[in-house]
Amino acid sequence: MKAPILTPLATALPATVPFTGPETQERRQGQPFIARLGANESIFGPSPAAIRAMQAAASEAWMYGDPEVFALKAALAAHHHCAPENIVVGEGIDGLLGYLARLIVEPGTPVVTSLGAYPTFNFHVAGYGGTLHRAPYKGDHEDPAALLALAQQTQARMLYLANPDNPMGSHHAGAAIQDLLANLPEQTLLVLDEAYIDLAPAGTAPEIDPDTPNLIRFRTFSKAHGLAGLRVGYAITSAPLAQAFDKVRNHFGLGRIAQAGALAALQDQAYLSEIRAKTTTARTRLSGIARANGLIPLASATNFITMDCSRDGDYARRVLAELLARGIFVRMPGVAPLDRCIRVSLGDETALAAFEAALPEALKAAG
Amino acid sequence: MKAPILTPLATALPATVPFTGPETQERRQGQPFIARLGANESIFGPSPAAIRAMQAAASEAWMYGDPEVFALKAALAAHHHCAPENIVVGEGIDGLLGYLARLIVEPGTPVVTSLGAYPTFNFHVAGYGGTLHRAPYKGDHEDPAALLALAQQTQARMLYLANPDNPMGSHHAGAAIQDLLANLPEQTLLVLDEAYIDLAPAGTAPEIDPDTPNLIRFRTFSKAHGLAGLRVGYAITSAPLAQAFDKVRNHFGLGRIAQAGALAALQDQAYLSEIRAKTTTARTRLSGIARANGLIPLASATNFITMDCSRDGDYARRVLAELLARGIFVRMPGVAPLDRCIRVSLGDETALAAFEAALPEALKAAG
C-alpha cells in the first residue's frame, strides 16, 4: 500500500474545515487576540453552579459517562414537557447534525438550505454525498417561502432553517415556523436549528407536538448557557427518529464532566435570566458602537450583532482583516450579498471597549 | 410524512448498543453497584495535575476548544517522536474508529477482525455497511496468522487487532506485530488498537515509522491515564491518512476541558509510573482471589484480569449475574469459547475486597 485507500466518496471530499479557529489565527499572528468576539461564544461565561458541577466531576472523570445520558435527558424532557424518548443528546449540535446527515443522506439526496446559512450543516450533507440546493436570503432573513418552493421543486429530504438565524441575527415568529411545517412536502424533514432560541423574543419558539414526524429541533448549551467548550447539544424530535440515532451515535461520546455541567446549567434558570438581561444591555451597547461609526446594526435575536458596512464584500473583508490585525477576533458572512456585513459577538464591557477603540481605525484603514 | 425516511442502509441497521452502561443496570436493580469493575476504567483515577487542569479549564468552558488541538497534538508528537501531522485526536478511540470506518468502508467492503474482539469496531464497520470476517482466537490470543490468511482470502481493506487484547488481556510481542505488518496484503490497513499499551510489558509496542502507509495505531487517555469520562483518544498514522480525518471529523468536537485534561495527564509521566506499579500489585491481588476460588486468572497486560471459569458460557453468565446481583459490576466476553470467562477490572483494595467477598457466594449460587 502506497497511500490509504479511501472510499470514492471520501476521496472526492475536500479536506475543508468549516471554520478556522481563533487559536489558529493567534498562532499565525504570533499574539493572542485582545477581544474574542468572533465565534458567538458567551463571554459572560457559564453558570457558577455549572462550573462547580464540572469541577466536582473532574475527579470522577475516570468513569465513562452514562451512555443513556439518563439524568440529563430526564431533566430536558421535564423542561420541554416531552418524554425522554423525544430527546437525543450529543456532542454539540455539530455532532448531532453529522449523525442526522448519516441517517438521511446518501449520494444524490436533495437537501435544501439558505445561501450563506450555517456551513457545518453543509459540511455534513456534502460529507455523505448529498446535493445541496440553496435559496437566497430575503433581505436579512432566511426566506421560508423560497425554501419551501425549493424543497417542493427538488423533492428535498431535509430543509434546514435556523431560527434565530446565524449569521444575520434575524428571526421569524413561531407562527411562521408552524406555517412552514404545515406546508412541507410529504418527504421533507424540517431541520430547525434553535441554537440561539434562549436569547430570542418570546414567541420565537413555536409550540409543536414533539412527536411531529417531520420535525427535528436542535438546541445547545454552547450559546446562552456559555458552555461552547463542553460540547453538549440536543435534539427534540419524534421518538422513532430519536431512537434511530442509537443506530449510529458514539454511545459513550458524552463524558462525565459534560453531562454534569449541562445538567447544572439547565437547572440554573435564574442564571439564564441574568444572561438574557446582560444580552439586552450588550446588544444596545454594541449597536451604538456600530451606529457611531456609520455602520448599520441589524436587529438581533442572538448573542451577536451583524453590522452592515453598506458596501461590497471586498470592503467588509478589509474591515475584518483590519480588526483582526488590531487584536479583535470577529467573523463575517461567507457569501454575497450577506458579506457586506461583519458579525460581532456580544461581550463584556472590556471586550466591547476594545472593539470600540479598534473599529474607527479599522474602518479608516479599510478605506 | 408518517415516519422519518432513513437511507436503506440506516433502515437496515439494528438499534444496537455496543455496551449497556453500568448506570442502566443500577437503575434496573434500583441500587448503585458496590464495586465498579466492569468497564476497564481506572479506579485509581486521573493524575491530580490533570484534575487541577480540568478544574481550571471549567471556568473557561465558554470558549470552544481549539479545533486544531494544537498544543495537545504537539505534545503527543514530541512524546511519540513523530510530527503533529501524524496525529489525529478525537472523541475517544470509539469516535475515531467511527471516522475511520466512514473513510474506508462502504457497503460490502470486507473487514477482518477476531471473533469476540472489540464490539464497537464491529458496530462502526456494520454501520457503514461493511462485511465483517472473523478469525477465531487461538487459545487466549488473537491469532495473527489466521487474521492474515483471512485478510488475504477476503481482500480485506482493514484488519483490526488489539494489542494488548480486550477481552482476554493477552498480548503479542512487538515483533509479532511487525511481522504481521510486513505480510499484509497490498490493500489492507492494519488497525492496531493499543488502548492498554501503557500497562503492557516493555517491547509490546513495536517501533514503526509513523509514516508507514498501511498502519494506524490507536491510543487513549481512558485507560492508564484514568480519563475514560473525558473522551480523548488519538491515532498515530501516516500524514495522508491523518489529514483525511479532516474531511469528516467533528472539527470542534474536542472541548476545552478535554484538551486541557489530556495535556496535563500526558505531561505527568511520573503519575503514569505510579499507576503501572499499582496495576502490577492489583493484578497479583486479583489473580490470587481468582485462584483461591478455583478460577484460572489469565496472564494480563491490561488493567483487568480475565478469569476462566472452566465451564461453558451459560455457567459464566450465571456467575456474572450472581455477581451483579451482589452489587459487583463486571462484564464477560460475548462469544464462545471466550465466554467461559468473566472479566474483572483492577480496583483499589476496597473494590477488590468487595469482589473477594462476593465471588464465593456467586460461584455457589451459580451452581
Side-chain angles (χ1 to χ4, degrees):
Chain A
M1 187 186 290
K2 290 194 180 67
I5 303 169
L6 308 185
T7 66
L9 174 58
T11 302
L13 291 175
T16 43
V17 177
F19 294 101
T20 303
E23 293 81 7
T24 305
Q25 299 178 55
E26 289 175 330
R27 286 188 290 271
R28 280 181 198 150
Q29 297 195 163
Q31 52 188 346
F33 284 120
I34 300 163
R36 187 170 164 121
L37 300 171
N40 299 344
E41 299 158 329
S42 180
I43 209 167
F44 306 121
S47 146
I51 295 176
R52 285 192 301 272
M54 294 185 283
Q55 289 176 334
S59 54
E60 296 175 356
W62 60 274
M63 290 181 275
Y64 287 103
D66 175 9
E68 293 189 352
V69 200
F70 185 87
L72 179 56
K73 277 174 80 167
L76 287 168
H79 184 72
H80 290 293
H81 309 293
C82 64
E85 290 72 21
N86 295 117
I87 306 275
V88 184
V89 188
E91 305 93 333
I93 292 180
D94 284 1
L96 289 168
L97 285 174
Y99 296 133
L100 181 67
R102 182 169 163 195
L103 288 171
I104 292 186
V105 176
E106 53 186 354
T109 300
V111 174
V112 162
T113 185
S114 298
L115 181 61
Y118 193 49
T120 306
F121 177 73
N122 301 354
F123 169 79
H124 288 305
V125 171
Y128 288 98
T131 304
L132 282 156
H133 302 277
R134 298 171 175 88
Y137 277 62
K138 187 173 179 180
D140 303 324
H141 289 73
E142 296 185 62
D143 184 352
L147 290 163
L148 201 51
L150 195 56
Q152 278 155 347
Q153 181 194 322
T154 62
Q155 297 286 300
R157 286 292 174 87
M158 294 197 285
L159 189 168
Y160 175 90
L161 181 87
N163 193 43
D165 175 63
N166 174 21
M168 300 309 273
S170 59
H171 73 287
H172 292 287
I177 306 300
Q178 281 171 314
D179 208 51
L180 173 61
L181 189 63
N183 290 291
L184 278 184
E186 169 67 20
Q187 78 291 346
T188 308
L189 178 74
L190 178 59
V191 180
L192 182 60
D193 184 343
E194 300 183 314
Y196 297 95
I197 199 79
D198 297 311
L199 304 172
T204 306
E207 282 193 27
I208 304 173
D209 181 347
D211 276 310
T212 302
N214 56 354
L215 172 66
I216 183 165
R217 313 170 78 147
F218 288 98
R219 304 287 180 100
T220 185
F221 287 92
S222 296
K223 302 302 174 188
H225 287 291
L227 288 169
L230 198 62
R231 304 283 63 217
V232 187
Y234 61 100
I236 309 167
T237 191
S238 66
L241 183 54
Q243 198 188 4
F245 280 77
D246 276 341
K247 297 178 169 199
V248 299
R249 72 185 180 94
N250 184 6
H251 285 269
F252 287 83
L254 213 70
R256 204 141 190 115
I257 301 174
Q259 295 188 34
L263 180 59
L266 181 70
Q267 288 169 339
D268 193 353
Q269 292 290 317
Y271 184 78
L272 200 58
S273 298
E274 281 179 49
I275 292 300
R276 284 197 194 98
K278 285 185 182 179
T279 297
T280 303
T281 305
R283 276 183 199 147
T284 304
R285 171 89 171 94
L286 191 50
S287 299
I289 297 171
R291 278 190 210 98
N293 287 277
L295 307 184
I296 304 165
L298 307 186
S300 169
T302 65
N303 69 354
F304 59 88
I305 300 284
T306 301
M307 301 176 184
D308 188 340
C309 300
S310 302
R311 288 169 62 182
D312 65 5
D314 287 341
Y315 175 68
R317 276 182 283 278
R318 287 203 301 279
V319 174
L320 187 87
E322 295 294 342
L323 284 168
L324 291 171
R326 285 165 178 79
I328 311 294
F329 170 52
V330 291
R331 287 200 177 117
M332 62 178 287
V335 300
L338 314 182
D339 67 353
R340 69 191 188 280
C341 302
I342 60 170
R343 193 196 69 180
V344 186
S345 306
L346 302 183
D348 55 12
E349 184 47 36
T350 307
L352 294 188
F355 175 72
E356 185 174 35
L359 183 59
E361 300 171 27
L363 290 169
K364 193 174 170 191
Chain B
M1 186 186 288
K2 291 196 179 63
I5 303 169
L6 309 185
T7 66
L9 174 58
T11 303
L13 291 176
T16 44
V17 177
F19 293 101
T20 302
E23 293 81 6
T24 306
Q25 299 179 53
E26 288 175 330
R27 287 189 289 272
R28 280 182 199 151
Q29 297 194 164
Q31 52 189 346
F33 285 120
I34 301 165
R36 188 170 162 120
L37 300 171
N40 300 344
E41 299 158 328
S42 180
I43 209 167
F44 305 123
S47 147
I51 294 175
R52 284 193 299 273
M54 293 185 284
Q55 288 176 336
S59 53
E60 296 175 356
W62 61 273
M63 290 181 273
Y64 287 103
D66 174 9
E68 293 190 350
V69 199
F70 185 87
L72 179 56
K73 277 173 79 167
L76 287 167
H79 184 73
H80 291 294
H81 310 293
C82 65
E85 289 74 20
N86 295 118
I87 306 274
V88 184
V89 188
E91 304 94 333
I93 292 179
D94 285 1
L96 290 168
L97 286 174
Y99 296 133
L100 181 68
R102 183 170 164 195
L103 288 170
I104 292 187
V105 175
E106 55 186 353
T109 301
V111 174
V112 162
T113 185
S114 299
L115 181 60
Y118 193 48
T120 306
F121 177 72
N122 301 354
F123 170 78
H124 288 306
V125 170
Y128 288 97
T131 303
L132 282 156
H133 301 277
R134 298 169 174 90
Y137 278 62
K138 187 174 181 180
D140 303 323
H141 288 73
E142 294 186 63
D143 184 351
L147 290 164
L148 201 51
L150 196 56
Q152 277 156 346
Q153 180 194 321
T154 62
Q155 297 286 300
R157 286 291 172 86
M158 293 197 285
L159 189 168
Y160 175 90
L161 181 86
N163 192 44
D165 175 63
N166 173 22
M168 300 308 273
S170 59
H171 73 286
H172 291 287
I177 306 301
Q178 280 171 314
D179 208 52
L180 173 62
L181 188 63
N183 290 291
L184 278 184
E186 168 68 19
Q187 80 291 346
T188 309
L189 177 75
L190 177 59
V191 180
L192 181 61
D193 183 343
E194 299 183 316
Y196 296 95
I197 199 78
D198 297 311
L199 304 172
T204 306
E207 283 194 27
I208 304 171
D209 181 347
D211 275 309
T212 303
N214 56 353
L215 172 66
I216 183 166
R217 311 170 80 148
F218 288 97
R219 304 287 180 100
T220 184
F221 287 92
S222 297
K223 302 302 175 188
H225 287 290
L227 288 168
L230 198 62
R231 305 283 65 215
V232 187
Y234 60 100
I236 309 168
T237 191
S238 65
L241 183 53
Q243 198 187 4
F245 279 77
D246 276 341
K247 297 179 170 199
V248 298
R249 72 186 181 94
N250 184 6
H251 285 269
F252 287 83
L254 213 69
R256 204 142 189 115
I257 302 175
Q259 296 189 34
L263 181 58
L266 181 70
Q267 287 169 339
D268 193 354
Q269 292 290 316
Y271 184 79
L272 200 58
S273 298
E274 280 178 49
I275 292 300
R276 284 197 193 98
K278 285 185 181 179
T279 297
T280 304
T281 305
R283 276 183 198 146
T284 305
R285 171 90 170 93
L286 191 51
S287 299
I289 297 171
R291 277 190 210 97
N293 287 277
L295 306 185
I296 304 165
L298 307 186
S300 170
T302 65
N303 69 353
F304 58 88
I305 300 285
T306 300
M307 302 176 182
D308 188 340
C309 299
S310 302
R311 288 168 61 181
D312 64 6
D314 287 340
Y315 175 68
R317 276 183 284 278
R318 286 204 302 278
V319 174
L320 187 87
E322 295 294 343
L323 284 167
L324 292 171
R326 284 166 179 77
I328 310 294
F329 169 52
V330 292
R331 286 200 177 116
M332 61 179 286
V335 300
L338 313 183
D339 68 352
R340 69 191 188 280
C341 302
I342 59 170
R343 192 196 71 179
V344 187
S345 306
L346 302 183
D348 56 11
E349 183 48 35
T350 307
L352 294 188
F355 175 73
E356 185 173 36
L359 183 59
E361 300 170 28
L363 290 169
K364 193 175 170 192

